[in-house]
Amino acid sequence: MSSAPLPLALADLLLRPGFGSRRVPDRVFDRLVAKAGQAEGDQQFVDDFRFLLRCWAKAENLTPVGWQSAQTHVRRHLTNRARIRRLIAECPAIEQEPVEKPVFVVGLPRTATTLTHGVLSLSDEHRSPLLWELLTPDLEVPPGRRRKATAPARHLVQGTNLFAPRFRDIHPLVAEGPEECTFALPHALMPLSSARIPEYQAWHYERDFVPDYRHLKQVYQVLQYGRPRRRWILKSPMHLENLDALRTVFPDATIVWSHRDPATVMASFCSLIEHGMVLSTRPVDLHGIGATWLELLSRSAARGLASRAAIPREALVDVPYSWLGSDPAVGGAPKLYAAVGARWTEAEAARLPEVTARPKGTRPHRYDLSRYGLTRADVESAFADYNALRAEVDRA
């Protein structure tokens, strides 16, 4: 990959004086906790993020911007957790808000989960969390405070577009657009998309994710409280590895599982990781990206397959990539709505171009599996069981 964009190089230079603090991550963490606040009885949540920051501080080839981003990530989760706990303590009725029959769009990344989520979000009877809400979940914001409330999301979008301009071509972020649960889940795989953190990856493999999904439910209860109740349409490829935990907390959820050829998935997603990782890590190890994410995503698919048998048939919707192909208004979109028990009307059809059109100024996304040291045979071997399922879905 070419050298860092000039704005990113300048940001690294400006942040270099504070880069040495990665040698004392506990001291940095203590400052973050002091600013964020901590609720009584929440020590495990705090300790888990202390561990994450310790691991992140040791990441290979971390840049000054990368270290700043790690602190921002941890501070955001600590601050949001403290706010949610405070709101529930002040108003216990929040925790009684029913999150009824939510739809979770899951599947490997780059399988049209974003498009599927966007299509399902078109209905006025549905509710999807917006990026700014996931970054700073709170009770309803008065109109006069809206700009201030959305500022963190706007800054994230602007910074990403400035420092990693190609990222927008692959996965454009919109401050006030629907986004995925990954931003609110305490311990999704997001840190591993920024840096190589093997100790945290091993810890992630052993984690019980039920508390994370309980926290996620509280996020949506806060976002729902005092506002009209609509059916939640939620999404993250990272849910695929944790379907058991998800269904423990959301037992009446409908799982919408999107499917695509894993070789295409791996090439496209590795490209996404490359263009995002340049923000935090330099040089970027392309073959390391391939090896890491082949392991992570094949493990995710295997765990999803293992959980699948326990999901009631009426609560599981398989979506082949072809459903939302050239003309989703005629084919896949109405079928998708019917499968989740929703109404597809002329109103949704009229709004469909909002989510199917490419954003202005973006370029086509091109990718090559071999760039990441992988072959189709490597991928097909790692995803053999998943490919068997995908073949069944395509035949159905």
Side-chain angles (χ1 to χ4, degrees):
M1 188 167 190
S2 59
S3 59
L6 181 59
L8 181 56
L10 291 174
D12 276 329
L13 187 63
L14 289 171
L15 291 171
R16 184 157 294 281
F19 192 41
S21 66
R22 68 187 290 212
R23 294 191 292 268
V24 286
D26 281 344
R27 189 182 304 168
V28 173
F29 186 84
D30 289 340
R31 289 200 298 267
L32 297 178
V33 172
K35 291 179 181 178
Q38 179 182 350
E40 185 177 348
D42 216 20
Q43 193 61 48
Q44 188 61 56
F45 188 95
V46 172
D47 288 346
D48 288 347
F49 273 94
R50 182 185 294 276
F51 175 77
L52 170 58
L53 193 66
R54 285 174 181 168
C55 295
W56 213 328
K58 295 183 286 187
E60 295 178 4
N61 301 324
L62 194 67
T63 64
V65 167
W67 178 231
Q68 183 63 47
S69 298
Q71 295 172 67
T72 300
H73 177 95
V74 169
R75 180 174 61 247
R76 174 168 61 81
H77 281 284
L78 293 174
T79 301
N80 288 341
R81 175 70 165 192
R83 184 189 311 109
I84 288 168
R85 299 271 290 188
R86 173 179 56 76
L87 290 171
I88 291 174
E90 293 172 353
C91 183
I94 291 172
E95 213 166 13
Q96 303 308 312
E97 278 291 319
V99 180
E100 294 180 330
K101 298 182 178 179
V103 174
F104 281 87
V105 178
V106 309
L108 294 169
R110 314 306 296 165
T111 56
T113 54
T114 298
L115 180 56
T116 303
H117 184 229
V119 169
L120 288 171
S121 299
L122 291 172
S123 173
D124 289 335
E125 298 175 0
H126 295 165
R127 164 85 154 97
S128 293
L130 308 181
L131 176 58
W132 73 270
E133 295 177 313
L134 292 165
L135 292 178
T136 52
D138 205 339
L139 299 181
E140 189 163 16
V141 176
R145 290 178 46 210
R146 178 82 172 216
R147 183 164 180 79
K148 182 178 180 181
T150 60
R154 285 186 285 106
H155 294 158
L156 172 66
V157 173
Q158 291 164 1
T160 302
N161 292 344
L162 179 65
F163 293 152
R166 286 301 313 281
F167 192 87
R168 183 171 177 263
D169 298 333
I170 308 170
H171 182 80
L173 296 170
V174 179
E176 299 193 51
E179 254 305 337
E180 60 185 53
C181 306
T182 308
F183 287 96
L185 267 175
H187 291 283
L189 293 171
M190 189 174 284
L192 300 179
S193 68
S194 299
R196 185 172 181 274
I197 318 175
E199 192 176 359
Y200 179 71
Q201 182 174 332
W203 178 86
H204 181 97
Y205 284 178
E206 301 300 322
R207 182 170 179 76
D208 174 8
F209 280 88
V210 170
D212 294 65
Y213 281 89
R214 287 182 178 142
H215 170 83
L216 186 67
K217 182 177 180 180
Q218 289 177 337
V219 168
Y220 296 131
Q221 288 172 318
V222 164
L223 292 177
Q224 180 173 284
Y225 184 74
R227 287 169 259 197
R229 292 176 182 169
R230 293 178 286 163
R231 190 181 190 187
W232 282 101
I233 306 297
L234 307 169
K235 171 248 179 177
S236 174
M238 303 310 165
H239 290 318
L240 188 60
E241 67 170 346
N242 293 317
L243 291 178
D244 289 344
L246 185 157
R247 295 187 64 251
T248 296
V249 178
F250 300 95
D252 60 349
T254 295
I255 306 299
V256 174
W257 187 336
S258 59
H259 300 277
R260 192 182 189 186
D261 173 18
T264 304
V265 164
M266 285 301 308
S268 179
F269 189 66
C270 285
S271 175
L272 175 71
I273 294 296
E274 175 189 352
H275 288 287
M277 190 174 278
V278 72
L279 287 165
S280 301
T281 301
R282 222 162 28 253
V284 174
D285 178 1
L286 299 180
H287 286 199
I289 288 175
T292 295
W293 286 97
L294 182 65
E295 178 182 329
L296 288 170
L297 294 185
S298 61
R299 176 183 181 273
S300 178
R303 286 171 60 86
L305 289 172
S307 300
R308 184 182 172 94
I311 302 175
R313 192 65 196 92
E314 65 275 11
L316 179 63
V317 178
D318 287 307
V319 180
Y321 192 76
S322 59
W323 268 26
L324 297 176
S326 59
D327 197 354
V330 173
K335 194 184 302 185
L336 180 61
Y337 268 60
V340 301
R343 298 181 305 127
W344 177 258
T345 70
E346 291 182 1
E348 284 77 43
R351 296 170 61 191
L352 188 60
E354 297 174 17
V355 297
T356 56
R358 286 187 63 84
K360 288 184 179 179
T362 58
R363 294 179 287 176
H365 179 207
R366 295 184 173 85
Y367 39 83
D368 179 1
L369 192 63
S370 65
R371 179 173 175 82
Y372 306 100
L374 299 174
T375 65
R376 173 170 282 276
D378 294 331
V379 178
E380 289 183 349
S381 175
F383 288 92
D385 291 339
Y386 170 71
N387 272 329
L389 167 67
R390 193 172 61 87
E392 292 179 14
V393 169
D394 287 343
R395 285 195 298 267

